[in-house]
Amino acid sequence: MNQSPAADPQAGAAVKAADRAHVFHSWSAQGLIDPLAVAGAEGSYFWDYDGNRYLDFTSGLVFTNIGYQHPTVVAAIQQQAATLATFAPAFAVEPRSEAARLIAERTPGDLDKIFFTNGGAEAVENAVRMARLHTGRPKVLSAYRSYHGATGTAINVTGDPRRWPSDSGSAGTVRFWGPFPYRSPFHSATEAEECERALRHLEDTVAFEGPGTIAAIVLETVPGTAGIMVPPPGYLSGVREICDRYGIVFVLDEVMTGFGRTGTWFAAEHFDVVPDLLTFAKGVNSGYVPLGGVAISAEIAATFDQRPYPGGLTYSGHPLACAAAVATIRVMEEESIVERAAWLGEQVLGPGLRDLAERHPSVGEVRGLGAFWALDLVRDRATREPLVPYNASGQDNAPMAAFAAACKAEGLWPFVNMNRTHVVPPCTLTEEEAKEGLTALDRALSVADTFTTG
Ligand code: PLP
């Protein structure tokens, strides 16, 4: 996408004015925000009404795995709209059946039944409900440094500050520390030590909570928004073993990591582990129409063979969303997009980001895989003090705000969370686009470097 989009500041001003007058935005103090009015998007880029074009290193909120406006998927949505734009969930309709078949074929192990939702939080919500009904147990274990969505139960199992304002005593949820070698909660010196200590800590948590009270352990396969912490080898299979030992349902949340993001269809494949329930959303249709779901093991599905599942949604398996999923999955196969994400990680983004780390003292660690990377920015490499304090705002967050502004001035839209920038572009990013983004990051990191003290 190289043509310069035509500017239309007047139209942009009208969009902005109506937004400011009537749109109530997520996660925001409404009086303090200034959302960019977006005129269009294609592939890895989007543009505003003033003629500025941005390379999108965020994939929206990490969902446009195939990039914006893929013509095949757009056409499939149009065709479905013309054929059967909507239909109630109790019926068997072609796009829903086909999407479920294609998803079940790609999820690991025997996760062969698909419950569709409208997004990720509802998927987590229903996975926890299934686990509680299947086991007859009340509690859920989840990790600090996690995000699972903003509805009642999903925000409750979330382990980051977004939970705090909605935390009604954390009813039913107990949180534990997952592995994070760079900022080890266990003071480990090696990955192997981190793995062993994290598993021992989880085992102790289960023992002291009472194994018979725990329905599920919910984990992101690779924690995403919380920092893209790839778990050390052996950790997830160790969790699987603990779940098996105590009859606990193992839920892997692949809302962010699923559908190619990490260079495999699902991140679980990297760790050779099969959960009992797997939640997905985002990449399932690159967010072209809202869709999420739970892939369910044969054993848990059987619980609801004769007994009704007490949960449902008006738009479960909406035909437009499912048609978009069918087209997306086919496009991903035809264009080898999963393989492309793996190649991006191994050959382009991994080496490129490590090269930046060598030259910029503000980069404490580079971690990730596929099209899923984090730069952990620090004041001081030796102490690993984060560039801004945990959950900083206002003046305390000035270094990250300056870094983000520098990226935008370079034509790069960055994903910034606390002291990290995540490099999560579409999996279709070209080598040339990656170089453009790395060059912009290089310049913006020079701004971050000015805040280092090491
Ligand atoms: N789970 C994970 C791992 C996520 O990253 C997210 C969203 O970022 C969610 C669940 C919630 O998804 P949604 O915003 O579609 O409800």
Side-chain angles (χ1 to χ4, degrees):
M1 199 351 266
N2 289 319
Q3 82 265 24
S4 245
D8 188 352
Q10 221 178 335
V15 170
K16 184 70 157 282
D19 177 284
R20 297 294 53 229
H22 302 294
V23 178
F24 194 93
H25 283 263
S26 313
W27 305 117
S28 302
Q30 305 300 312
L32 301 182
I33 53 173
D34 182 27
L36 181 75
V38 172
E42 189 177 321
S44 306
Y45 293 89
F46 66 90
W47 52 89
D48 64 17
Y49 288 88
D50 295 324
N52 302 306
R53 195 173 69 121
Y54 296 96
L55 177 60
D56 185 2
F57 262 25
T58 72
S59 297
L61 288 174
V62 200
F63 57 77
T64 55
N65 292 6
I66 61 165
Y68 293 104
Q69 296 298 112
H70 193 294
T72 311
V73 178
V74 171
I77 297 167
Q78 287 168 332
Q79 202 187 337
Q80 185 63 44
T83 315
L84 185 67
T86 191
F87 216 81
F91 297 83
V93 292
E94 195 271 338
R96 188 182 298 139
S97 304
E98 185 61 359
R101 186 181 75 79
L102 291 174
I103 294 165
E105 274 177 15
R106 283 159 184 80
T107 48
D110 67 343
L111 305 176
D112 287 339
K113 287 268 169 73
I114 310 297
F115 177 77
F116 284 113
T117 65
N118 301 299
E122 286 175 353
V124 171
E125 206 74 30
N126 281 282
V128 169
R129 177 182 282 137
M130 286 172 195
R132 285 181 168 144
L133 291 163
H134 178 72
T135 59
R137 300 171 180 178
K139 275 193 295 208
V140 179
L141 261 51
S142 68
Y144 289 112
R145 299 191 195 277
S146 71
Y147 182 67
H148 296 290
T151 54
T153 302
I155 199 71
N156 204 219
V157 295
T158 285
D160 85 8
R162 280 176 286 182
R163 182 188 77 254
W164 301 344
S166 308
D167 196 341
S168 49
S170 283
T173 301
V174 175
R175 270 161 295 272
F176 60 94
W177 292 100
F180 185 9
Y182 185 65
R183 300 190 179 284
S184 170
F186 310 107
H187 310 287
S188 309
T190 65
E191 275 210 328
E193 204 169 63
E194 182 75 354
C195 179
E196 192 217 311
R197 291 180 183 184
L199 284 171
R200 203 177 331 134
H201 162 68
L202 177 56
E203 178 102 49
D204 285 347
T205 307
V206 169
F208 278 75
E209 284 297 327
T213 68
I214 300 166
I217 294 177
V218 181
L219 278 175
E220 290 170 80
T221 311
V222 178
T225 316
I228 310 194
M229 292 93 72
V230 181
Y235 179 70
L236 290 175
S237 48
V239 178
R240 173 75 273 179
E241 200 271 317
I242 291 171
C243 286
D244 288 343
R245 192 139 29 95
Y246 297 110
I248 296 169
V249 171
F250 189 13
V251 181
L252 278 180
D253 183 347
E254 294 244 10
V255 165
M256 196 174 268
T257 50
F259 294 93
R261 177 56 52 191
T262 69
T264 48
W265 277 100
F266 293 94
E269 290 170 44
H270 292 289
F271 309 100
D272 209 13
V273 65
V274 180
D276 302 301
L277 297 170
L278 182 150
T279 54
F280 63 86
K282 300 191 188 259
V284 61
N285 62 11
S286 268
Y288 283 32
V289 186
L291 183 67
V294 187
I296 308 164
S297 72
E299 190 192 331
I300 296 180
T303 296
F304 304 103
D305 270 349
Q306 305 302 322
R307 162 189 174 189
Y309 175 62
L313 299 154
T314 296
Y315 302 128
S316 177
H318 193 282
L320 286 183
C322 287
V326 169
T328 297
I329 293 168
R330 291 198 180 131
V331 158
M332 289 179 77
E333 289 288 5
E334 280 159 25
E335 298 178 15
S336 303
I337 289 172
V338 179
E339 294 78 359
R340 188 175 182 82
W343 166 83
L344 261 180
E346 281 158 25
Q347 305 292 329
V348 185
L349 293 176
L353 293 171
R354 281 190 278 269
D355 175 57
L356 291 182
E358 273 178 27
R359 288 183 287 108
H360 291 282
S362 58
V363 181
E365 188 182 49
V366 176
R367 50 177 184 264
L369 69 183
F372 201 47
W373 292 84
L375 302 185
D376 202 309
L377 303 187
V378 292
R379 288 224 180 240
D380 181 337
R381 268 187 180 165
T383 64
R384 302 185 180 181
E385 181 193 348
L387 193 65
V388 296
Y390 187 72
N391 204 28
S393 61
Q395 208 36 47
D396 287 346
N397 196 45
M400 291 307 292
F403 165 78
C407 287
K408 290 173 191 173
E410 294 293 333
L412 178 78
W413 201 268
F415 187 107
V416 172
N417 185 279
M418 300 197 192
N419 69 311
R420 289 166 274 103
T421 187
H422 293 183
V423 175
V424 285
C427 306
T428 47
L429 192 79
T430 66
E431 196 164 356
E432 203 177 280
E433 291 166 348
K435 294 227 164 87
E436 181 188 325
L438 290 167
T439 303
L441 275 181
D442 195 2
R443 297 201 182 117
L445 286 170
S446 300
V447 174
D449 290 343
T450 63
F451 296 94
T452 56
T453 52

